Amino acid sequence: MLQDIRENAQGTIAKIIVGLLILSLSIWGMDAIIGGFSGEPEVATVNGEDITEREFLRVVQMESQRRLSAMESPDPSLLNEDQIRKDVLDSLIREQVLIQDANAQGLALNDADIDALITQMPQFQVDGQFNRDRFVATVRNMGMGVAEFREAMRKQYVLNQIRTGIIQSAVVADENAGQLLRIQNQTRSFRVLDIPASAVASNVSVTDSDVEEFYQQNASAFQQPERVDAAYITLSLGALAENIDISDEELQAYYEQRAADLASEERRASHILIEEGSEADQTMATIKERLGDGEAFSDLAKEFSIDTVSAQQGGDLGYAGRGIYDKAFEEALFALEEGEISDPVRTSFGVHLIRLEDVRQSEVPPLSEIEDQLRRELARDKARERFAEVRAQLADSAYAADDLEGPAKELGLEVREAKAITREGGQPPFDHQGLVRQLFSEDVLKAGYNTELIDVGDDASVVARVREYHEAEQLPLAEVRESIRATLEQRKTREALVERADAIIASLEAGEPIESEEEWSSFENLARNSSDAAPAVIQQAFSLPRPDEGEARYGKTVASNAASVIALEAVKDGEVAEDSTELNQLRDFLASLEGQREYASYQQFLRNRAEVERP
């Protein structure tokens, strides 16, 4: 048998197979060969097809990172892991039913299509050519294997086809868009009678018994929550930097090192911007062909560019340095030589063709002008190296210590105090929920340990301990009497204003004269976004029904210190020009909303029909 295997391995078929394996490995790596052969546990089965645990955990990790990055102060302890896992599994189930539906419709990409897409992606290219090492490294950094990435691309492409097809098929009737625009551009004429709080002051009275009754009925609202007084040490990069001396020699060397950066470069660009869409590539090809035939970039910008402001100037955007434009636009612009035109560049604004017109560079400012700035930069750079070392020392020292005085003295840091910190937090740094949670933990609050060293910002870390604990307690009536009185006076004033406004409206609707020291203010043909009247008055005036000819509709607004009666007298619908830009934009927007609603309904329909099993 071994002899048979040895002889077959020398045959033509075996050589072909080995050749194909080597080719696959050289392009895609081992994942392309073994990715589909490993049996994996599943987290759910959708219509007989498994969602693997590996895929689920990878997406959970990505979603956790996304939610962390959205936090102002990222803190993993604030993540709701159970909710994340639930959301991710629901999302994967919806994705699976869509993929199955796409397969049933024959929507698919073959391997050659996937390869073509991957090799054309800029993030996998070096000097404009696909680079296997960069591709594999990038995919690995995403926590995926090559086979997984290829399959994810296949899925997303198909899902986008379905989503785009449904959304772009949505239709909104012109009359519906026109009617909405007429309502949106409506103007209204009305009168306003203001009623100040002073007009009802004689009707407002708060007695001591009112205050006491309110206190008794709302006792829980007048509790002082449990709180702690804490000692803490803050280690900050800024404080370390302030204690670092920079010699003149170091400063001079740093100045010379930074010279190239200090001479800021600005580039003058022109661009042609077109809308992204199915015809974008063809339009760009037409523009480049006409440029190749000798037509001026400025003329084509005036003809094609949807950036109407720059188009009037032949596409000219003026001079700008780095950090001004969209990242993709900036990278393309700063890679051009003077007079060179870029390939099409896609941003959130659309598709650009960029021409570099000129480059100018400023002089390096003299050292005397920027000495303080450079000293601070150099000190922070040195402090950053020291920060990690001191942070590790503080974490170890505070963990082993019975107080904070020892670690503070050892590292030359200051022990500070903060009072009345509740479970909701306190003044910085106790506005950080991770630090507060540790402060109220069993080990710290009752056992008397220090907290762990908590990073409360990119450049600051804090360790704390409880000095004194105060239990929750009821505030005495004497301390809150005046605040209760003010609350009741405000409440009764508002009630009195409501009564006065309602009485005035009732008289007006009955055709009776009203007695008021105030005069009506008139407003003619005000739009919804007008600033001529108070926002609350505008909102109420536009919420009233359309009045009949010669009559008025009445409404009111009430605040704690004033009320207003509104008499709506006339409504004028806005004018809508056929095929106007405003109408077309609104119609497209409504169609997009309708398409998204239809897509969501389609997803839900497939989900409801699917058979889902969970282990």
Side-chain angles (χ1 to χ4, degrees):
M1 182 176 179
L2 292 176
Q3 182 61 33
D4 290 340
I5 293 174
R6 187 177 298 109
E7 290 175 356
N8 288 333
Q10 307 301 320
T12 303
I13 295 176
K15 291 179 181 179
I16 292 174
I17 293 173
V18 171
L20 290 174
L21 287 172
I22 292 172
L23 179 62
S24 297
L25 285 168
S26 68
I27 298 178
W28 309 120
M30 183 62 72
D31 286 310
I33 308 301
I34 65 173
F37 292 95
S38 57
E40 297 183 33
E42 73 278 358
V43 293
T45 302
V46 182
N47 293 327
E49 295 188 20
D50 294 338
I51 297 174
T52 65
E53 185 178 45
R54 179 181 179 184
E55 179 183 12
F56 170 70
L57 293 177
R58 177 178 59 79
V59 180
V60 166
Q61 182 180 17
M62 292 172 63
E63 178 62 12
S64 298
Q65 290 299 323
R66 187 192 68 79
R67 296 191 187 190
L68 273 176
S69 64
M71 294 181 184
E72 186 173 343
S73 299
D75 183 356
S77 65
L78 297 180
L79 292 176
N80 186 334
E81 296 291 345
D82 290 339
Q83 188 62 48
I84 291 174
R85 294 170 75 89
K86 179 182 181 301
D87 293 345
V88 167
L89 185 55
D90 288 344
S91 174
L92 289 174
I93 290 172
R94 289 196 304 271
E95 179 184 88
Q96 186 70 16
V97 295
L98 283 168
I99 290 292
Q100 292 171 355
D101 181 64
N103 291 337
Q105 296 182 49
L107 298 174
L109 283 183
N110 58 37
D111 289 342
D113 294 332
I114 293 293
D115 293 347
L117 286 172
I118 290 174
T119 56
Q120 291 171 16
M121 295 173 74
Q123 56 267 49
F124 302 144
Q125 295 182 354
V126 175
D127 297 330
Q129 298 293 320
F130 173 75
N131 183 276
R132 175 196 170 276
D133 292 338
R134 172 168 290 187
F135 167 70
V136 172
T138 302
V139 170
R140 297 293 189 204
N141 288 338
M142 295 168 63
M144 302 174 70
V146 171
E148 286 180 292
F149 180 79
R150 287 165 58 81
E151 186 59 27
M153 280 199 63
R154 190 191 311 274
K155 288 180 179 179
Q156 288 306 313
Y157 185 86
V158 170
L159 292 180
N160 285 337
Q161 279 186 311
I162 297 174
R163 181 177 182 275
T164 301
I166 293 176
I167 290 177
Q168 290 185 349
S169 67
V171 176
V172 172
D174 288 350
E175 180 54 31
N176 290 347
Q179 179 62 16
L180 185 59
L181 195 56
R182 282 190 288 273
I183 294 172
Q184 178 63 33
N185 293 340
Q186 217 178 62
T187 60
R188 297 194 167 203
S189 299
F190 53 89
R191 292 179 297 131
V192 177
L193 178 64
D194 291 323
I195 309 170
S198 58
V200 297
S202 60
N203 300 330
V204 176
S205 175
V206 177
T207 66
D208 288 343
S209 62
D210 292 335
V211 172
E212 292 172 8
E213 182 181 358
F214 186 86
Y215 176 78
Q216 295 298 333
Q217 291 177 349
N218 299 275
S220 62
F222 303 106
Q223 279 195 342
Q224 180 84 309
E226 62 175 333
R227 59 208 184 279
V228 298
D229 299 334
Y232 67 99
I233 297 173
T234 299
L235 174 65
S236 71
L237 185 68
L240 286 178
E242 290 176 2
N243 295 322
I244 293 178
D245 293 326
I246 304 298
S247 67
D248 292 342
E249 291 76 13
E250 289 176 312
L251 181 65
Q252 182 64 41
Y254 185 63
Y255 172 73
E256 293 172 0
Q257 175 189 334
R258 289 284 315 281
D261 297 331
L262 295 170
S264 60
E265 178 182 296
E266 292 185 320
R267 294 192 162 211
R268 183 178 179 183
S270 296
H271 81 143
I272 299 172
L273 174 64
I274 66 171
E275 290 185 354
E276 180 67 277
S278 57
E279 299 181 1
D281 290 341
Q282 181 58 48
T283 302
M284 274 297 176
T286 300
I287 294 172
K288 296 192 78 170
E289 182 179 349
R290 290 173 62 176
L291 284 169
D293 291 340
E295 293 192 48
F297 190 94
S298 57
D299 292 339
L300 293 173
K302 292 176 182 177
E303 179 180 346
F304 286 96
S305 185
I306 62 172
D307 180 359
T308 54
V309 175
S310 69
Q312 294 175 0
Q313 308 299 322
D316 189 9
L317 295 171
Y319 287 95
R322 290 188 179 273
I324 302 298
Y325 297 123
D326 178 277
K327 184 178 180 181
F329 189 103
E330 179 182 293
E331 289 179 354
L333 174 61
F334 279 81
L336 295 175
E337 298 293 335
E338 194 170 324
E340 188 180 0
I341 298 173
S342 71
D343 290 330
V345 177
R346 284 174 160 81
T347 72
S348 58
F349 301 99
V351 187
H352 309 254
L353 210 59
I354 307 166
R355 174 185 166 91
L356 176 60
E357 305 292 351
D358 189 25
V359 179
R360 68 184 183 188
Q361 209 149 9
S362 65
E363 296 285 335
V364 179
L367 176 59
S368 58
E369 288 184 9
I370 56 173
E371 179 177 349
D372 292 341
Q373 171 195 335
L374 295 185
R375 282 189 186 278
R376 286 193 298 271
E377 289 180 11
L378 192 51
R380 286 186 72 85
D381 287 345
K382 287 191 170 187
R384 191 166 281 107
E385 299 172 5
R386 174 75 174 141
F387 183 79
E389 178 185 343
V390 176
R391 187 191 182 286
Q393 292 175 355
L394 178 58
D396 292 341
S397 179
Y399 179 80
D402 294 330
D403 57 23
L404 293 180
E405 281 69 18
K409 184 176 181 181
E410 178 185 340
L411 297 171
L413 300 172
E414 178 186 358
V415 178
R416 302 177 182 178
E417 290 189 4
K419 293 185 178 294
I421 304 162
T422 70
R423 290 184 182 271
E424 299 301 316
Q427 295 296 315
F430 295 98
D431 55 347
H432 187 278
Q433 281 301 307
L435 178 59
V436 173
R437 191 178 297 107
Q438 283 236 350
L439 200 62
F440 280 89
S441 67
E442 191 83 8
D443 286 346
V444 178
L445 187 61
K446 295 185 177 180
Y449 292 110
N450 296 329
T451 68
E452 296 177 11
L453 186 61
I454 304 295
D455 294 325
V456 297
D458 293 338
D459 299 325
S461 301
V462 173
V463 60
R465 68 181 288 110
V466 173
R467 284 239 168 121
E468 189 172 357
Y469 172 73
H470 305 277
E471 292 184 353
E473 58 184 351
Q474 184 75 24
L475 292 172
L477 176 58
E479 286 189 19
V480 296
R481 182 183 298 276
E482 292 309 312
S483 66
I484 292 176
R485 186 180 299 277
T487 298
L488 291 177
E489 286 177 349
Q490 188 178 70
R491 181 178 297 180
K492 290 193 173 187
T493 297
R494 183 182 179 89
E495 292 171 355
L497 287 168
V498 169
E499 290 179 7
R500 177 66 63 88
D502 286 342
I504 291 173
I505 291 173
S507 296
L508 290 168
E509 290 177 338
E512 300 171 358
I514 61 170
E515 295 180 5
S516 175
E517 299 176 359
E518 303 296 331
E519 294 186 359
W520 291 84
S521 301
S522 294
F523 299 91
E524 297 292 329
N525 297 323
L526 260 60
R528 292 177 186 273
N529 59 353
S530 173
S531 59
D532 292 347
V537 170
I538 292 281
Q539 182 179 3
Q540 179 63 20
F542 275 87
S543 68
L544 292 171
R546 186 187 297 262
D548 294 331
E549 186 70 27
E551 296 184 0
R553 295 280 189 174
Y554 300 101
K556 66 178 182 294
T557 65
V558 182
S560 59
N561 59 353
S564 298
V565 174
I566 298 106
L568 177 63
E569 297 176 324
V571 175
K572 181 181 179 182
D573 286 338
E575 296 181 358
V576 179
E578 192 172 342
D579 285 333
S580 66
T581 301
E582 190 178 23
L583 178 61
N584 290 333
Q585 288 177 342
L586 179 60
R587 184 172 53 237
D588 292 344
F589 174 71
L590 292 175
S592 175
L593 289 181
E594 178 62 18
Q596 291 175 35
R597 187 192 66 77
E598 291 177 0
Y599 178 65
S601 298
Y602 184 67
Q603 281 184 301
Q604 192 60 47
F605 167 74
L606 294 176
R607 174 64 181 85
N608 293 341
R609 198 176 60 171
E611 293 183 7
V612 179
E613 298 177 5
R614 306 187 189 191

